[in-house]
Amino acid sequence: KAGVTQTPRYLIKTRGQQVTLSCSPISGHRSVSWYQQTPGQGLQFLFEYFSETQRNKGNFPGRFSGRQFSNSRSEMNVSTLELGDSALYLCASSLGTGTNEKLFFGSGTQLSVL
Amino acid sequence: DAKTTQPNSMESNEEEPVHLPCNHSTISGTDYIHWYRQLPSQGPEYVIHGLTSNVNNRMASLAIAEDRKSSTLILHRATLRDAAVYYCILRDWSSSASKIIFGSGTRLSIRP
């Protein structure tokens, strides 16, 4: 069974640009959640999508948005990039049916904003 | 979500058992205790979880105190591949499935 796939693996952008990150969940998983990881703040929850609907949202500005397609694949968009957006962005997938199910994480997209 | 407290770092020798502690004094009756670990250059991976009783799986064991205010993740025989950051997390069964509040975790180093 293929794992969670995130593309691209590395990305370099400049301030003010926008970026789109992609996540393909494990086959059969309907929930995709996104996390930002930085050395200073650690792992922080961004949002979760389940069956194409945002089910939960963390404390991030509106520049961070996402969507989920009918095949459960998800994209995350960050507009008007700031230097502080440099981070590892991780996506996780799960069946989405219960709190105690396992989350399966991808290897992440390393975003550098110059 | 209730908060957990873990040591910043620990060191152990290869092929010896490792006990990773976690304090969660404000745990509620509906909180499950989960452990994830993050190896270098990878996303976190699930290790184990439990509610009240001790739990075992192929990766590790979870020992939960009787009052549930603390727990210990036990790696029975550490290998170099177990070097990672270990996160102890509380997840309320009534909250969103995927919203996990990660703490700073314990960075485990293994000496050959």
Side-chain angles (χ1 to χ4, degrees):
Chain A
K1 204 174 191 183
V4 177
T5 304
Q6 290 189 247
T7 56
R9 186 73 177 91
Y10 301 94
L11 206 49
I12 299 175
K13 292 285 187 179
T14 55
R15 277 186 306 171
Q17 287 186 311
Q18 74 163 15
V19 67
T20 299
L21 313 180
S22 179
C23 173
S24 293
I26 290 172
S27 177
H29 284 190
R30 295 167 64 192
S31 169
V32 173
S33 53
W34 289 87
Y35 289 80
Q36 181 196 65
Q37 185 171 30
T38 60
Q41 298 295 320
L43 274 155
Q44 294 184 282
F45 173 79
L46 279 155
F47 31 65
E48 178 204 358
Y49 285 86
F50 177 78
S51 293
E52 301 179 67
T53 301
Q54 190 179 84
R55 189 157 73 169
N56 211 334
K57 191 176 187 305
N59 295 323
F60 278 81
R63 299 185 297 108
F64 292 81
S65 63
R67 60 177 176 168
Q68 186 180 33
F69 302 95
S70 57
N71 62 358
S72 293
R73 190 177 70 84
S74 177
E75 286 181 348
M76 190 195 120
N77 186 275
V78 187
S79 63
T80 320
L81 283 166
E82 300 176 0
L83 295 179
D85 296 333
S86 294
L88 179 67
Y89 290 88
L90 292 157
C91 111
S93 80
S94 67
L95 293 169
T97 57
T99 303
N100 286 296
E101 60 187 15
K102 302 174 191 178
L103 294 191
F104 295 84
F105 284 83
S107 296
T109 294
Q110 184 68 54
L111 172 65
S112 298
V113 182
L114 306 178
Chain B
D1 292 323
K3 187 177 163 55
T4 63
T5 305
Q6 300 176 252
N8 288 334
S9 62
M10 289 184 64
E11 220 173 338
S12 183
N13 295 320
E14 195 176 12
E15 298 187 4
E16 289 186 358
V18 181
H19 290 235
L20 296 162
C22 180
N23 286 317
H24 27 79
S25 58
T26 59
I27 191 170
S28 74
T30 54
D31 283 333
Y32 281 77
I33 302 158
H34 287 245
W35 285 81
Y36 279 74
R37 72 179 186 180
Q38 187 172 19
L39 281 65
S41 303
Q42 294 186 30
E45 66 173 343
Y46 168 86
V47 177
I48 200 166
H49 80 276
L51 183 62
T52 56
S53 306
N54 294 345
V55 185
N56 300 293
N57 67 22
R58 65 172 183 80
M59 287 181 72
S61 295
L62 177 60
I64 302 172
E66 199 169 332
D67 63 5
R68 301 210 323 127
K69 293 185 186 300
S70 66
S71 60
T72 302
L73 178 71
I74 302 165
L75 306 179
H76 295 287
R77 199 160 166 265
T79 70
L80 295 178
R81 285 176 293 181
D82 291 321
V85 178
Y86 287 78
Y87 296 98
C88 169
I89 299 146
L90 300 182
R91 298 183 70 188
D92 186 337
W93 69 268
S94 63
S95 67
S96 166
S98 296
K99 183 179 180 180
I100 296 182
I101 309 292
F102 285 88
S104 52
T106 296
R107 183 174 298 277
L108 176 65
S109 302
I110 306 295
R111 290 183 290 253

